[in-house]
Amino acid sequence: MGWSFKIGTIAGTALRVHVTFALLLVWIWLMHYRVGGTSAAWEGIAFIMAVFACVVLHEFGHIAVARYFGIKTPDITLLPIGGVARLERMPDEPHQELLIAIAGPLVNVAIAGLIVLLLGASMGIEQMAEVEDPEAGFLARLAGVNIFLVLFNMIPAFPMDGGRVLRAALASRFTWSRATQIAATIGQGLAFVFGFVGLFYNPLLIFIAIFVYLAAAAEAQNAQIREVSGSVLISDVMITKFAKLDRSASIDEAIEMLLATTQREFPVTDSAGRFEGLLTRDDMIRALKDKGPDTPVASAMRTDIPRIHHRKSLENSLRLMQQGNVPAIAVVDGADHLVGLLTHETIGEMMMVRAAAADSFRFGRLRRYRSPQV
């Protein structure tokens, strides 16, 4: 996810933090400082860190079940409203997504239950409800937050777990794409409700509404891509006209090509035209800053870019792109010669064309149906 940075790795999964999370910490510190000074401010930070430790455990609940079904999770990204675990591929069956989705909230149920057992009779429901009152007790408030996380995550809207549970339930009766469209529409409707309520009560709900709306739209688009990708060949959608760099070229030459074109990614080939790597705009800037303009592109390019034959289906390339989290895929022929590129933008443009064609077809059918009445 963009605007995030890695802070560590746990059991093979990278833990990333979005930059907006830092803004949350600053806001928490200032709010508590205004109420109780420096000690209250640091206590507020400690509490929010404990909350997000529970969020990480929540995400590893998803990860544990996903790994049981053979699905790897490259990373977790912490956001101000929670965490997002990125799966390398979607589950094959609706019941798999259902189990993966509910595993996270069950972790929060377990955490809250353990705290209740630990505190026993000394903790009441009133204390758990007062999560913003430091006098209610650290552990009691933490139990209350975990209960809130269960209720919040089960809202039937993407990217919350409830949205995925809803899709899994709908997928038992409809196609995956149709189930996603219905769940996304419901999620976007709830986003409007959150935004409207936020105008009168809590501005944070407006932020949540925007995030939910965009996440629902992204899920709907991904479902559309998945639906058509099995019947589309890579050669039908790949980019065939692009600038490329020889492995002997320098960073200075690469920057000149960057300024002369609209490309952001440049394939690097050998003298025979075989693909060797990919040089992105960020790679150029990094190499120019650290090593200078005369640095060979071969020492700055990415070599982890997947290769795929141009006669494969688009579905295969989407899986590779998702698993590797790469900006592009090299399309090659039988001799490993570079014949095209497949990027996220290419796929997006393909979906827009297909959606326009589908709308035109539906309009044409409607016009033909009505024409005898004119």
Side-chain angles (χ1 to χ4, degrees):
M1 181 178 290
W3 294 87
S4 63
F5 54 93
K6 181 179 176 181
I7 61 172
T9 301
I10 302 175
T13 297
L15 186 60
R16 307 183 67 84
V17 176
H18 199 267
V19 292
T20 52
F21 182 76
L23 298 178
L24 173 66
L25 294 179
V26 172
W27 181 74
I28 291 292
W29 197 94
L30 292 174
M31 292 296 293
H32 283 75
Y33 180 82
R34 291 176 58 187
V35 174
T38 303
S39 60
W42 288 116
E43 183 180 348
I45 293 295
F47 181 73
I48 203 68
M49 295 302 292
V51 169
F52 274 87
C54 295
V55 170
V56 171
L57 292 175
H58 170 110
E59 296 302 327
F60 270 94
H62 296 309
I63 290 172
V65 180
R67 287 181 179 177
Y68 176 80
F69 292 120
I71 303 172
K72 296 179 181 179
T73 309
D75 56 55
I76 299 171
T77 302
L78 295 181
L79 300 161
I81 64 170
V84 177
R86 183 171 61 89
L87 304 181
E88 67 173 6
R89 62 177 177 85
M90 296 303 298
D92 296 325
E93 301 293 338
H95 78 274
Q96 294 181 358
E97 181 172 43
L98 176 65
L99 293 174
I100 293 172
I102 65 174
L106 287 177
V107 171
N108 295 118
V109 171
I111 293 172
L114 289 173
I115 294 175
V116 170
L117 289 175
L118 179 64
L119 297 181
S122 63
M123 184 183 68
I125 297 177
E126 298 81 6
Q127 290 176 295
M128 288 190 292
E130 296 293 334
V131 294
E132 297 181 358
D133 183 8
E135 296 181 359
F138 191 96
L139 289 178
R141 289 186 294 143
L142 191 60
V145 168
N146 276 275
I147 294 173
F148 169 78
L149 288 174
V150 173
L151 299 175
F152 179 76
N153 274 283
M154 293 311 294
I155 295 174
F158 293 115
M160 274 80 82
D161 301 325
R164 304 190 185 282
V165 170
L166 175 61
R167 176 170 61 184
L170 292 170
S172 63
R173 297 186 57 187
F174 304 99
T175 64
W176 182 270
S177 177
R178 180 58 179 159
T180 303
Q181 290 290 342
I182 295 173
T185 301
I186 293 173
Q188 288 176 323
L190 288 173
F192 278 111
V193 174
F194 290 159
F196 182 77
V197 174
L199 291 174
F200 299 97
Y201 295 99
N202 190 339
L204 181 61
L205 287 175
I206 300 176
F207 174 77
I208 294 174
I210 295 172
F211 186 77
V212 168
Y213 186 91
L214 295 177
E219 286 287 346
Q221 184 183 44
N222 289 338
Q224 287 181 319
I225 293 173
R226 181 177 177 180
E227 184 179 31
V228 303
S229 62
S231 59
V232 177
L233 294 178
I234 293 174
S235 57
D236 295 331
V237 298
M238 68 183 184
I239 300 172
T240 56
K241 295 182 180 180
F242 51 85
K244 56 185 178 180
L245 293 163
D246 189 87
R247 64 170 290 111
S248 61
S250 66
I251 291 296
D252 192 37
E253 293 174 284
I255 290 177
E256 289 182 6
M257 190 173 291
L258 174 69
L259 297 175
T261 66
T262 59
Q263 285 179 228
R264 294 178 60 89
E265 301 92 11
F266 295 85
V268 180
T269 60
D270 62 12
S271 57
R274 287 185 290 267
F275 178 76
E276 293 203 359
L278 188 77
L279 187 70
T280 68
R281 175 180 174 274
D282 292 340
D283 295 330
M284 294 182 200
I285 295 173
R286 191 179 304 111
L288 182 64
K289 179 181 178 181
D290 297 341
K291 301 179 182 179
D294 296 327
T295 305
V297 297
S299 65
M301 67 184 182
R302 291 185 60 169
T303 57
D304 60 339
I305 305 300
R307 297 172 173 83
I308 193 167
H309 195 272
H310 65 96
R311 299 303 296 172
K312 294 286 187 179
S313 71
L314 183 61
E315 185 177 11
N316 297 108
S317 64
L318 292 177
R319 187 177 297 111
L320 286 174
M321 190 173 287
Q322 187 176 24
Q323 291 175 354
N325 193 25
V326 293
I329 290 181
V331 184
V332 298
D333 60 15
D336 206 31
H337 293 138
L338 183 69
V339 296
L341 280 179
L342 190 66
T343 66
H344 293 283
E345 290 77 10
T346 306
I347 297 171
E349 291 172 2
M350 180 269 293
M351 287 306 304
M352 290 178 63
V353 170
R354 284 185 169 266
D359 290 341
S360 177
F361 176 70
R362 286 193 294 270
F363 177 74
R365 287 197 306 175
L366 181 61
R367 184 173 57 187
R368 288 194 298 273
Y369 175 75
R370 289 180 174 178
S371 58
Q373 300 178 7
V374 177

